[in-house]
Structures are given as structure tokens and as C-alpha cells.
Amino acid sequence: MSAFDFFEFRKISRNDPLISEVYKLRYKVYCDEWGFEKPEDHPGGIEKDDFDQYSVHMVALTKDRKELIGTMRLILASELGFPLEGHCKITTDLSAIPRERIGEISRLAISKDYRKRAGDRLIYDRGESEEHAFKRSDTAEKRLCEYAIISGLYTCMYKESVSLGLTHWFAVMAKGLSILLNRLSVTFTPIGPEVYYHGVRSPYMVQIDEIVSTVTRENPEFFRSYLSGSNC
């Protein structure tokens, strides 16, 4: 059993009617619930920025009601650069990686009604230790679906990245989210020191072709349920 038994995951274009719902969900999470963005900077209950025009957007929908419950974007190379470069100090030499082969993952937003199953404080890390959060939520009945929405979104992001010929991902993440992904054998490597941006965050990078080899070796159940299928 995987996330695809309960939820639908797919990419949407910037012209898809769902894109307005994506921006509204991001507003709820980043402005209303966590205060990462100032509401006055995003009038009309819409959270968007200049990078959205250079992004591929992924969505998670309930299978029965087609309700939008999660989203994440993949920012592609452009004249704007990547958000990570504007907010973080990069100490790793990345000069050998062609810019057009990099995508930055950002704006992970999950509906509050479903975030409890996805480890709320692990995603956004607001003052609670990652270890305590794992102990609190790591019950037998949750192990199979606790991170289903995140797993599905990342699976679609991976398949889209392969189709685009990308070789590396950037991400600015809370430590808790990097630990969560590591539990799925998707291991990001820090490429700079922590900064305060939407909370305490670090810049990370992962080589995309290493994901399948690592997941196949260390987490074969996840590989069978997610990466090996034709979902997304």
C-alpha cells in the first residue's frame, strides 16, 4: 500500500485552473499558519513570487473529492538564479555542474488537516527537536502512511526531473525534513551553514541519479511502491 492508493499526484502547468488553489494553499501555510511570509506582501490571499514563472508545480489531490491537499515546486534555471543562492552562503564548489541541469525544490505546503500525518514540526521545524517529534509520531499504525503526501510529491518531482534531464536538486530545508527524507533513503548533503530563512534552514544538494540506487539498496519497499511504478 502506498500514497497512490489514497491520493493523486501530478504536475500542473501555470495555466491550469488549479494553480490559483496552489497559491492559496501556500498562503495559508506560509502566511497564516507559520508566519514565514508577510500577508501584506501577498495581497488577495495569494502567495507567489517571481520564481513561479520558471517552475514546474506538483500537486497532491484526494482521490475521491479531488481536493488539493499538498503542493511543491521545482524551480528551473533562469536569469533570476535560484532562491537558495540569495538566502544562503554556499561553501561547496558547484562550478562543475551545468546550471541548466539543476532544479531547486521549494514551497512544500501541505494542508493542515493532513499535515499531522506528515510530521508537522518535522517539515517546518518550529522549536521542537527532530528526535522528540519522531518519537512522538512513530507509532505502528502510522508508519506506512505518515509521510505519504511528501513521498508522493517527491516521487513526481523525481520523475519530472529525469524527463527534463536534470542531474541535481537544490533545497533549503529544516533539519527535520532532511532527517525525514533520509529515513526514506533520499539523502541530501549540506552545502553551506545554517541560516535563518523561514526558520532555521540549511542549503542542501543531492545528485538525482543516486536516489534510485540508494533507495533500491536501502529501502526496496519504497522503491517498489513509488519509484518503480508509472504513477505521476
Side-chain angles (χ1 to χ4, degrees):
M1 184 176 294
S2 75
F4 298 102
D5 295 309
F6 305 101
F7 308 115
E8 173 188 343
F9 301 91
R10 60 182 173 90
K11 70 175 180 178
I12 62 171
S13 70
R14 292 187 296 276
N15 298 321
D16 192 299
L18 266 177
I19 196 66
S20 62
E21 297 303 312
V22 165
Y23 297 147
K24 289 177 183 178
L25 177 58
R26 282 171 28 180
Y27 184 92
K28 287 181 181 178
V29 173
Y30 283 80
C31 297
D32 286 347
E33 297 170 7
W34 288 94
F36 293 146
E37 293 284 325
K38 296 179 180 179
E40 57 267 30
D41 293 337
H42 303 283
I46 298 293
E47 195 285 312
K48 60 184 297 187
D49 61 26
D50 292 339
F51 291 100
D52 284 309
Q53 63 183 313
Y54 300 106
S55 299
V56 179
H57 299 269
M58 303 294 168
V59 297
L61 308 168
T62 56
K63 273 199 168 181
D64 51 357
R65 299 169 57 187
K66 303 301 181 184
E67 174 190 6
L68 178 71
I69 58 172
T71 184
M72 188 163 64
R73 70 180 178 182
L74 178 67
I75 302 171
L76 305 178
S78 73
E79 64 269 21
L80 297 181
F82 293 102
L84 174 147
E85 296 169 322
H87 297 290
C88 303
K89 179 181 180 181
I90 308 303
T91 56
T92 300
D93 182 9
L94 306 177
S95 59
I97 305 173
R99 301 280 295 178
E100 66 274 13
R101 298 295 186 182
I102 301 172
E104 181 171 340
I105 297 174
S106 83
R107 287 302 194 269
L108 172 62
I110 297 175
S111 169
K112 187 176 182 179
D113 293 335
Y114 291 84
R115 225 166 46 226
K116 293 176 182 178
R117 294 190 304 180
D120 192 5
R121 293 188 184 277
L122 292 173
I123 301 173
Y124 300 114
D125 188 19
R126 199 179 195 187
E128 182 177 22
S129 73
E130 295 79 15
E131 293 81 3
H132 176 66
F134 273 123
K135 289 176 182 178
R136 186 184 64 181
S137 62
D138 194 19
T139 59
E141 63 190 36
K142 285 187 174 182
R143 284 174 187 154
L144 289 177
C145 65
E146 186 169 26
Y147 310 126
I149 298 172
I150 293 175
S151 300
L153 287 170
Y154 267 87
T155 297
C156 285
M157 193 72 74
Y158 165 78
K159 293 181 178 181
E160 176 65 15
S161 297
V162 171
S163 72
L164 292 173
L166 302 183
T167 60
H168 292 77
W169 282 341
F170 281 161
V172 181
M173 295 188 290
K175 185 178 180 181
L177 180 56
S178 70
I179 294 174
L180 185 158
L181 293 170
N182 189 59
R183 284 164 64 100
L184 299 174
S185 301
V186 180
T187 304
F188 281 77
T189 301
I191 56 174
E194 289 184 339
V195 297
Y196 193 85
Y197 170 64
H198 291 170
V200 178
R201 301 287 186 263
S202 295
Y204 291 88
M205 184 180 70
V206 67
Q207 189 168 325
I208 296 173
D209 64 6
E210 291 181 353
I211 294 175
V212 168
S213 59
T214 302
V215 171
T216 304
R217 182 178 65 254
E218 299 181 2
N219 197 345
E221 181 179 350
F222 181 77
F223 176 79
R224 288 191 300 269
S225 298
Y226 290 85
L227 297 184
S228 64
S230 58
N231 303 295
C232 305

